[in-house]
Amino acid sequence: MAVFQVVNRTTGDHFTCQEGQSVLKAMEQRDLKCVPVGCRGGGCGFCKIQVLEGHFECGKMSKRHAPPEAVEKGEVLACRIYPLTDLIIECVPLPEAAPAKQTTKNR
Amino acid sequence: MKKGVMRPGHVQIRVLDMDEAVKHYTDLLGMIETDRDDQGRVYLKAWTEVDKFSVVLVEVDEPGCDFMGFKVVDEAALNQLEKDLVDYGVGVEQIPAEELKDCGRRVRFTVPSGHAFELYADKKYTGKWGVSSVNPEAWPRGLQGMKAVRFDHCLFYGPELAAVYDIFVNVLGFHLAEQVLDPEGTRVAQFLTVSMKEHDVAFIHHEEKGKFHHASFYLDTWEAVLRAADLISMTDTSIDIGPTRHGLTHGQTIYFFDPSGNRNEVFCGGDYFYPDHKPVTWKTEELGKAIFYHDRALNERFMTVLT
């Protein structure tokens, strides 16, 4: 089975990804946190990345978070892309988080 | 139920891949497929539910929730509630009978948080699945996965909670069972009931309209929740958090995602409500404990990942 190298240019992290495995799953397996993890189902848009170099296959993703014109430019969800070659990726700023976030502190 | 709204009746959930979704809701949650229609929608029910379906799956390119429906006691109540909504200034849309198979006419309206709800009085009564209505056995054999008992409630994220409260409480006859207040006294979460349950629908404040946090399914016991956790691992299903307990409602719970990223909950226990109960209040300073009673800290994913 082919193994590909994924480099996150934003954070400097790199990890291996097996053929048929999603980039997000490979990252989680290595206990890295260089891409935010949301629903892992292509639905919430949390793990949006920009693929700078390399080829990949795409699973189904929410049109809201990965419209076809963005996918064309390599703006995809890490939970739904499967490398075909080594990849260089970078993080994309998260959408605005919920206002409740400010109250997460607990004594 | 003082205005005739009886209980949650159905939820239509948008999925990216129908085959994966049906497998999730049947093999893992343990719902039963009861029908399909010419739009390609799939109808499911949990085994104790007496009507034909409670979950409708529709395949589109953006996951989330299309609408949640409440069953009302009869056609007279439906007519009155429809009139009350219109008089209150809420626009209603008529959905004809059979638009959902074996379901009567529905009155659809959208509340200011951006979520669509429906009221209906009739749906085909098919009885509990796998058990007789005469001298019934305790449970049916052949249930799959988590053996979900019933579709229980939904939690929605959106703005204008006060206006949503007015419609649900003043027009539809719901009660406020629990709330979260910020330091200024603004309600940022509201748990509403039409029954003895702790909540039949809930809302949390969020700037963006119309977001779906989760659909929840009831299980009998804490043991069943732990078994659900085992099944989530066995099937490599995307987990959110749990098993744990909520402060709000005190239910014992686990959260996970369907294959399209819609969040599901299975839970057991929790408080009960009678109409003479005053609302339970949590303060945002204790929001961590309100949401996750054991960790007493929020998990960011739980608060911000939505479809």
Side-chain angles (χ1 to χ4, degrees):
Chain A
M1 187 181 287
V3 176
F4 305 108
Q5 192 73 19
V6 180
V7 177
N8 184 331
R9 209 176 66 176
T10 310
T11 63
D13 288 294
H14 53 89
F15 53 92
T16 55
C17 184
Q18 289 178 3
E19 188 178 358
Q21 189 176 41
S22 78
V23 165
L24 195 73
K25 180 146 195 165
M27 181 203 79
E28 283 200 279
Q29 270 189 354
R30 281 146 194 84
D31 208 24
L32 294 171
K33 295 180 168 58
C34 64
V35 176
V37 178
C39 71
R40 307 182 186 88
C44 73
F46 239 51
C47 64
K48 191 178 282 186
I49 55 169
Q50 174 78 48
V51 178
L52 301 169
E53 278 178 40
H55 296 287
F56 55 87
E57 280 181 335
C58 270
K60 289 183 178 175
M61 298 179 279
S62 172
K63 180 186 67 173
R64 172 185 289 243
H65 300 293
E69 58 275 18
V71 174
E72 196 82 354
K73 291 184 284 186
E75 207 174 293
V76 291
L77 305 181
C79 67
R80 279 288 179 262
I81 66 158
Y82 308 91
L84 298 171
T85 65
D86 290 350
L87 298 183
I88 299 176
I89 64 172
E90 69 179 12
C91 296
V92 172
L94 272 181
E96 269 183 46
K101 209 179 137 187
Q102 70 206 26
T103 56
T104 55
K105 278 268 154 56
N106 222 300
R107 258 181 310 135
Chain B
M1 210 174 75
K2 62 187 175 187
K3 300 279 182 76
V5 180
M6 188 162 54
R7 60 172 169 82
H10 55 238
V11 60
Q12 182 162 306
I13 298 173
R14 301 190 300 266
V15 299
L16 295 171
D17 184 293
M18 185 58 81
D19 292 343
E20 285 181 6
V22 169
K23 188 170 159 56
H24 173 90
Y25 286 94
T26 57
D27 289 1
L28 182 62
L29 267 118
M31 301 191 81
I32 298 117
E33 182 179 331
T34 57
D35 211 344
R36 296 193 177 216
D37 67 21
D38 52 16
Q39 294 181 43
R41 293 182 296 188
V42 175
Y43 297 60
L44 306 163
K45 71 181 280 179
W47 77 268
T48 68
E49 292 167 350
V50 294
D51 288 347
K52 179 172 169 176
F53 62 87
S54 60
V55 170
V56 180
L57 302 175
V58 57
E59 185 178 287
V60 289
D61 53 14
E62 183 185 335
C65 174
D66 278 336
F67 52 81
M68 178 182 181
F70 291 93
K71 192 174 188 184
V72 307
V73 289
D74 55 26
E75 186 64 24
L78 184 60
N79 287 329
Q80 185 62 48
L81 284 158
E82 180 178 357
K83 183 173 179 302
D84 292 348
L85 282 166
V86 171
D87 289 349
Y88 198 78
V90 180
V92 300
E93 185 187 352
Q94 304 294 332
I95 312 294
E98 292 300 317
E99 194 278 337
L100 280 170
K101 275 171 109 170
D102 290 313
C103 185
R105 79 177 183 100
R106 292 130 65 203
V107 174
R108 187 181 295 172
F109 56 98
T110 300
V111 299
S113 59
H115 301 97
F117 292 94
E118 299 182 341
L119 303 175
Y120 68 94
D122 291 311
K123 192 183 285 179
K124 186 176 183 182
Y125 192 100
T126 53
K128 293 181 182 179
W129 184 86
V131 292
S132 169
S133 61
V134 179
N135 304 329
E137 301 298 349
W139 40 264
R141 294 183 189 224
L143 290 171
Q144 300 295 309
M146 299 176 187
K147 307 179 186 186
V149 172
R150 64 167 183 257
F151 162 56
D152 191 86
H153 65 267
C154 288
L155 170 59
F156 296 105
Y157 270 43
E160 301 199 49
L161 293 201
V164 174
Y165 172 98
D166 285 343
I167 293 168
F168 272 87
V169 173
N170 298 328
V171 184
L172 302 177
F174 282 63
H175 298 271
L176 179 67
E178 295 211 25
Q179 61 184 345
V180 178
L181 299 180
D182 74 8
E184 287 78 47
T186 304
R187 196 183 308 114
V188 295
Q190 53 199 16
F191 287 59
L192 304 169
T193 181
V194 270
S195 64
M196 276 188 69
K197 287 160 52 196
E198 183 62 19
H199 52 339
D200 288 307
V201 63
F203 296 88
I204 289 184
H205 175 78
H206 184 72
E207 291 302 328
E208 192 179 355
K209 280 187 169 193
K211 302 306 282 184
F212 181 41
H213 189 272
H214 70 264
S216 181
F217 300 87
Y218 182 77
L219 302 181
D220 282 326
T221 63
W222 176 230
E223 186 71 28
V225 175
L226 297 179
R227 192 175 162 280
D230 294 339
L231 286 159
I232 288 167
S233 284
M234 285 180 200
T235 52
D236 198 26
T237 297
S238 175
I239 189 165
D240 188 10
I241 193 162
T244 184
R245 183 194 286 277
H246 286 305
L248 282 149
T249 78
H250 295 133
Q252 295 155 311
T253 177
I254 186 166
Y255 287 89
F256 51 103
F257 296 96
D258 78 9
S260 305
N262 296 301
R263 190 185 278 96
N264 295 156
E265 175 188 35
V266 291
F267 80 106
C268 70
D271 300 328
Y272 64 88
F273 180 86
Y274 279 111
D276 62 338
H277 289 196
K278 291 178 178 162
V280 170
T281 299
W282 290 84
K283 297 186 171 179
T284 50
E285 299 92 304
E286 290 286 340
L287 192 60
K289 186 174 176 180
I291 308 268
F292 300 121
Y293 188 69
H294 299 152
D295 280 354
R296 285 162 281 156
L298 289 177
N299 142 341
E300 169 151 350
R301 181 165 59 219
F302 187 83
M303 301 308 292
T304 52
V305 168
L306 306 165
T307 55

